[in-house]
Amino acid sequence: MDKLISDQAEGLRRLLAKSGSRVIAVTGGTASVGCTTTVVNLAAALAQQGKDVLVIDECLGARSVGAALGGLRGAGNIAAVVRGEMHLDDAAARHALGFSVLTASRSDREGHSSAQLDVLLHGSADIVLIDAQLDPQGHLSPLAILAHDVMIVTRVAAQAITDAYACMKRLHYAHALAQFRVLVNHVLSVEDAHTAFANLAGVAGRYLAVALEDAGCIAADVRTARAQELSRCVVDAFPSTPAARDFRHLAAELQYWPMRPAMSSQTRWMAPATVTAAQHADQPSAQHA
């Protein structure tokens, strides 16, 4: 009987998870914490678990998803999708690992309304991962602000934690975000990750009244770097390693995160003057992290 109840509960969770595309924007305090690596490995792990995944790549150049995968052709033209001239599935490039990639440069993302950009997030994909590029002020793009969740990637190092706090502070004041998920990358132990998260959550709750949720951690693994050298991801190249297992665990867990309304439906953009005033009013900032 317990087995039957468990199977029924699992079936219900899966049914609820299919109620629409889950959109997650992934970013961090600095480029060195591994946001793009996280997006690529997470996409590969989700695809292995039978999910239809779309990666929207806002970061161009050497740190782009395409570069991490050794190059992708035809992963663009979001303007044609927004204008209704091309179907989303036709505009995105299909990678051999089973997920699709759509390049969204800053110029492609500008000049469109939220309703127009929303088309990019309501295709056939179960999960949309946005490798979010913050603007010079540290704010999300009009596309990334449509996500249901923002996941901040950080590391255990003190500077990385400080940078993550500063990133959340800017996003909080720019977009009135009150909640973030935190993934601690490149950790030597789960205990270190828990300590880093607890410290960050305490500071964010005290000085920003922002709630953090623990997205888990990814083990430090030399094969992650080796996979990058091979223009592959660790989930695909070295599936038995600790980092690959952690990415698969995260992929399985995030499918059952509570589905919140898109951030754009519960927040609004603050004027630059308002943002500046709010930031100056909150001086304890990152040094306490």
Side-chain angles (χ1 to χ4, degrees):
M1 180 62 70
D2 289 343
K3 177 68 164 58
L4 176 60
I5 293 174
S6 176
D7 289 345
Q8 289 175 335
E10 176 70 9
L12 179 60
R13 283 195 295 269
R14 292 184 181 278
L15 180 62
L16 292 174
K18 289 291 291 180
S19 60
S21 295
R22 179 185 297 277
V23 184
I24 302 170
V26 180
T27 189
T30 61
S32 61
V33 294
C35 295
T36 299
T37 301
T38 295
V39 169
V40 171
N41 279 283
L42 197 51
L46 286 164
Q48 288 179 358
Q49 294 171 16
K51 295 300 177 181
D52 188 349
V53 182
L54 171 65
V55 172
I56 297 182
D57 185 10
E58 293 189 346
C59 304
L60 305 182
R63 295 187 180 277
S64 68
V65 170
L69 295 172
L72 284 170
R73 293 184 178 182
N77 208 356
I78 69 168
V81 177
V82 172
R83 292 194 300 264
E85 300 170 0
M86 181 180 291
H87 192 275
L88 178 59
D89 292 343
D90 297 326
R94 192 76 174 176
H95 191 270
L97 292 177
F99 56 87
S100 299
V101 180
L102 182 67
T103 299
S105 66
R106 181 169 297 166
S107 60
D108 287 336
R109 303 190 304 265
E110 294 175 347
H112 305 296
S113 67
S114 294
Q116 290 173 316
L117 292 172
D118 204 45
V119 174
L120 299 171
L121 308 178
H122 285 81
S124 60
D126 300 308
I127 297 172
V128 177
L129 300 175
I130 303 177
D131 191 5
Q133 181 185 53
L134 303 180
D135 69 14
Q137 289 72 46
H139 303 166
L140 291 168
S141 72
L143 177 60
I145 199 62
L146 297 174
H148 301 102
D149 286 285
V150 173
M151 184 163 69
I152 305 293
V153 181
T154 187
R155 294 196 178 194
V156 173
Q159 186 59 53
I161 297 296
T162 300
D163 291 340
Y165 174 81
C167 176
M168 288 187 289
K169 181 179 176 180
R170 289 190 296 268
L171 294 178
H172 170 64
Y173 286 129
H175 312 299
L177 300 184
Q179 190 163 9
F180 298 93
R181 296 188 183 274
V182 176
L183 177 69
V184 186
N185 193 18
H186 200 74
V187 303
L188 296 178
S189 71
V190 174
E191 291 73 20
D192 287 346
H194 287 167
T195 299
F197 174 80
N199 289 340
L200 188 54
V203 173
R206 179 179 179 184
Y207 293 109
L208 298 179
V210 165
L212 304 188
E213 293 195 22
D214 192 351
C217 60
I218 306 298
D221 194 329
V222 295
R223 293 175 184 83
T224 299
R226 180 54 183 156
Q228 291 175 312
E229 293 170 359
L230 298 171
S231 297
R232 297 175 67 182
C233 64
V234 71
V235 166
D236 167 55
F238 307 108
S240 64
T241 58
R245 291 197 297 268
D246 287 341
F247 278 119
R248 289 195 298 271
H249 179 74
L250 173 59
E253 289 293 314
L254 72 78
Q255 298 172 43
Y256 306 119
W257 288 351
M259 181 75 91
R260 304 186 187 90
M263 291 184 293
S264 59
S265 68
Q266 53 185 324
T267 65
R268 62 182 178 85
W269 289 76
M270 297 174 65
T274 305
V275 174
T276 302
Q279 287 174 328
H280 284 308
D282 181 55
Q283 288 305 314
S285 73
Q287 65 182 355
H288 293 81

